[in-house]
Amino acid sequence: MSTQRISLSLLFFQFFFLFPSIISAIRNNIGLAVNRSCRSTVQGRYLLADDSGYVCDASSFDPMSRCCLGKGEKFPCHGCNLVSQCCNSYEYCVSCCQDPSRTKREQILKIKIAKPSTAGTYAGVFDFCVGRCRHNSESVVHENAYRSDYHHCFSLPSYSSGVNGTELEFKLNGVNVIIGRQGESCDSVCKTNGQSCIPNKLMVLNHCNIMQKYLSCKGGCLPSVGPDQPAEVAYNSPKELNPGACLYSSAQPMLSCDGSHPHTRRLCPCA
């Protein structure tokens, strides 16, 4: 019995000390598979979008992980107007919205889901994009019809506390902000000053805290809908039009350099 034990001990000794590289290789190759999982939109007619910024169809979607399997473009914006930040597809709106260059996480975490002060905030960028692209008052007219085919919008809400005045002012570097005459369009205002109206800067001016730096806004700052905004209602306007009030557009796709109204003075970005 003792002889067998000695032989067995010698066998183990030779195996572990003479073949250490084999043991090491075996151990190095042992590991647990990392299971990737995603959050995704509910499948639409053709497409889905996941929280990694990819869009795919049902044939390229893994129902177990809920991730798009393809290696296509990340944060695609197909069918999106990047000036108005509106898209003609819900899934591409969600993917485009998730691009860190367009949507800042630190801003999103401060934004309330709804306007009332008691409303909660978004948990993250994907939650914001999913909700904002599906339900956005800026793409609706008369509360029951879309303004255009680009009716999935991901722009920050105008009431948002996440809109930082300093960041907005930085976006106006190199832009000459001019107050137009009553009834004048921004195209006309800028042309008179030897410049051109910059359409994508209208969104930057379309915030109360920015308008109040250039206009008196003695009648308050009110949401409105019209191609002549952002603007201030002229003091000689009818009382029902709120003379002295600043108006920001709650329908950003309508922002236009050539818009005008006989009772407003436009705030114009020229360069």
Side-chain angles (χ1 to χ4, degrees), residues 220-231:
C221 189
L222 309 173
S224 184
V225 175
D228 62 306
Q229 291 145 25

Side-chain angles (χ1 to χ4, degrees), residues 6 11 126 133 143 207 210-211 221 244 266:
I6 293 172
L11 179 63
F126 182 71
C133 286
E143 299 183 356
H207 297 278
I210 295 295
M211 283 190 283
C221 189
R266 295 201 63 181

